[in-house]
């Protein structure tokens, strides 16, 4: 076994996949315990709405249960689970774009069901909530593909290959999207920092 | 080029650290809902009558797109066949009616043609006994004409 949200060792993963393929509900429960946080983080970050993210995770689990007999284990279980979650979030985003969506939230972290990890070590102790809120606002200005790439790679810590599987593209495409996403984030955050300095 | 990329790399690492600092926790209610739904779906269906089960199966079949297309095609064929049959029935009826009309017309003409000479005789005052009502005429008598 491994830590929550991380990749499983091969034997454990093979056993879990075998149980999933038999549509064992308890095995699905283990998937939720292992990857539920990552699925929820991805859904909250992409959909920017905690309630819709819960719905997406629920539907993803049902789809995992239904599709498990056909899963051959070509990709890692984590990337397959996150791929299903990301696909459902993409569908939801398309629908929302069609129906007009919701107004922008004033508190992007709280209303999206996201919170700052208190165990993370970092040096921006001052105004960290403000910086992270700025970062979330900056993420909103990326394209859906760029946002997905940077969330899979940087927020969830997936490898390039895993992120590519989850996004349904090649690793080169993920690298290109990441490059553009980071460049754009640097520009946006650099611009907002200059504005703060002028004040 | 490496010098220019170095600050970017530091910036990217800082960005990645910031992004990784924001996480969400899974909602236990989500798993409870999923479990309930899967258990309900896996549980044996309540006993239903054969007719009810067949009706359900038929409704399931009916809602399929292919079934809808097949039903629409069948409706078109049925309408076409019905139209053709009704058309042929109309023609037959008209023919029959016309024949009957012709027969009736012939019969009327025949009757008239049979009755016409007598009527002419009755109207002609030069014919003797033509004004008789038939009281003095024996059955089979032609009216005195030779």
């Amino acid at each position: 076994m491994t830590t929550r949200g991380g990749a499983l060792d091969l034997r454990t993963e093979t056993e879990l996949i075998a149980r999933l393929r038999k549509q064992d509900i308890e095995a699905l429960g283990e998937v939720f315990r292992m990857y539920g946080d990552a699925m929820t983080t991805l859904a909250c970050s992409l959909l920017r709405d905690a309630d819709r993210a819960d719905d997406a995770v629920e539907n993803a689990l049902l789809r995992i249960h239904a599709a498990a007999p056909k899963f051959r284990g070509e990709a890692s279980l984590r990337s397959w689970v996150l791929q299903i979650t990301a696909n459902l979030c993409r569908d939801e985003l398309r629908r929302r774009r069609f129906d007009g969506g919701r107004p922008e939230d004033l508190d992007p972290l709280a209303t999206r069901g996201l919170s700052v990890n208190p165990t993370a070590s970092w040096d921006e102790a001052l105004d960290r909530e403000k910086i992270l809120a700025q970062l979330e606002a900056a993420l909103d200005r990326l394209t859906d593909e760029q946002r997905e790439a940077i969330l899979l790679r940087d927020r969830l810590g997936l490898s390039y290959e895993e992120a590519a599987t989850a996004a349904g593209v090649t690793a080169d495409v993920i690298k290109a999207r990441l490059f553009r996403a980071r460049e754009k984030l640097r520009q946006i955050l650099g611009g907002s920092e200059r504005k703060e300095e002028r004040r | 080029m490496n010098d220019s990329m170095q600050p970017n790399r530091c910036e990217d690492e800082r960005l990645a650290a910031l992004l990784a600092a924001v996480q969400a926790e899974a909602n236990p209610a989500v798993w409870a809902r999923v479990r309930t739904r899967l258990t309900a779906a896996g549980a044996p269906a309540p006993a239903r009558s054969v007719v009810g089960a067949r009706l359900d199966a038929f409704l399931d079949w009916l809602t399929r797109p292919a079934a809808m297309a097949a039903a629409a095609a069948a409706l078109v064929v049925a309408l076409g066949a019905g139209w053709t049959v009704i058309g042929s029935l109309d023609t037959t009826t008209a023919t029959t009616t016309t024949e009957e009309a012709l027969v009736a017309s012939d019969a009327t003409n025949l009757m008239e043609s049979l009755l016409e000479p007598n009527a002419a005789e009755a109207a002609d005052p030069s014919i003797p006994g033509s004004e008789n009502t038939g009281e003095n005429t024996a059955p089979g008598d032609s009216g005195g004409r030779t």
Side-chain angles (χ1 to χ4, degrees):
Chain A
M1 275 290 192
T2 182
T3 54
R4 226 160 84 137
L8 296 171
D9 67 63
L10 192 62
R11 190 162 151 258
T12 313
E13 182 160 321
T14 310
E15 284 170 6
L16 188 55
I17 289 170
R19 286 172 57 208
L20 275 175
R21 289 181 65 179
K22 288 176 191 163
Q23 298 197 307
D24 178 359
I25 295 179
E26 295 309 317
L28 190 68
E30 277 184 40
V31 168
F32 181 72
R33 278 188 289 280
M34 294 297 302
Y35 303 125
D37 286 352
M39 292 166 79
T40 310
T41 300
L42 180 63
C44 286
S45 304
L46 287 174
L47 298 175
R48 291 159 274 175
D49 183 303
D51 293 334
R52 290 188 196 228
D54 278 352
D55 290 344
V57 172
E58 184 178 335
N59 289 329
L61 287 167
L62 292 170
R63 196 169 282 187
I64 289 163
H65 182 73
K70 290 177 190 166
F71 180 55
R72 302 274 169 246
E74 296 94 350
S76 73
L77 184 59
R78 179 170 65 164
S79 54
W80 182 63
V81 163
L82 292 174
Q83 181 184 25
I84 289 173
T85 311
N87 285 345
L88 287 168
C89 291
R90 256 180 254 126
D91 291 346
E92 172 64 21
L93 283 172
R94 257 180 244 126
R95 268 198 299 275
R96 204 195 300 180
R97 201 169 291 141
F98 188 72
D99 70 17
R102 287 164 65 130
E104 285 301 312
D105 303 310
L106 292 173
D107 186 354
L109 283 176
T111 48
R112 290 166 197 195
L114 297 165
S115 57
V116 179
N117 185 358
T119 59
S121 59
W122 57 329
D123 52 2
E124 290 98 345
L126 293 169
D127 286 334
R128 62 180 187 178
E129 296 275 350
K130 193 176 167 185
I131 292 166
L132 291 172
Q134 279 179 353
L135 182 58
E136 287 303 310
L139 282 172
D140 287 351
R141 293 171 66 179
L142 302 180
T143 65
D144 290 343
E145 289 81 14
Q146 290 169 353
R147 191 183 312 115
E148 188 181 71
I150 204 158
L151 290 171
L152 288 167
R153 176 79 181 126
D154 289 345
R155 182 158 286 172
L156 298 177
L158 268 60
S159 66
Y160 285 117
E161 286 72 25
E162 282 183 313
T165 304
V169 294
T170 63
D172 286 340
V173 172
I174 277 290
K175 283 176 188 170
R177 285 179 184 174
L178 268 172
F179 178 77
R180 283 193 289 271
R182 285 169 177 163
E183 200 173 47
K184 203 165 172 182
L185 280 180
R186 279 197 299 271
Q187 284 172 3
I188 295 165
L189 293 171
S192 61
E193 275 174 14
R194 277 194 291 277
K195 275 183 196 169
E196 288 287 323
E197 281 168 13
R198 266 183 238 142
R199 283 179 196 170
Chain B
M1 184 158 177
N2 283 344
D3 290 345
S4 64
M5 287 185 77
Q6 197 62 30
N8 282 353
R9 184 172 291 175
C10 291
E11 194 71 11
D12 287 349
E13 283 170 5
R14 182 170 165 265
L15 268 178
L18 284 169
L19 283 162
V22 175
Q23 299 286 328
E25 279 191 16
N27 182 357
V30 169
W31 171 241
R33 285 201 297 268
V34 170
R35 197 189 174 93
T36 307
R37 283 173 71 174
L38 289 177
T39 309
R48 286 182 61 89
S49 67
V50 175
V51 176
R54 281 187 182 171
L55 186 66
D56 284 350
F58 175 69
L59 286 174
D60 285 346
W61 176 83
L62 202 64
T63 52
R64 293 182 311 165
M68 293 294 283
L75 183 67
V76 169
V77 169
L79 283 173
W83 188 260
T84 310
V85 169
I86 289 167
S88 66
L89 279 177
D90 282 348
T91 313
T92 312
T93 310
T95 307
T96 311
T97 310
T98 311
E99 282 168 3
E100 280 172 0
L102 282 169
V103 168
S105 172
D106 288 347
T108 312
N109 291 339
L110 186 63
M111 291 290 285
E112 279 175 0
S113 62
L114 285 170
L115 290 171
E116 204 169 2
N118 290 339
E121 283 171 7
D124 191 357
S126 63
I127 300 170
S130 62
E131 288 172 303
N132 290 344
T133 56
E135 286 174 9
N136 301 325
T137 310
D141 195 349
S142 63
R145 285 185 293 175
T146 50

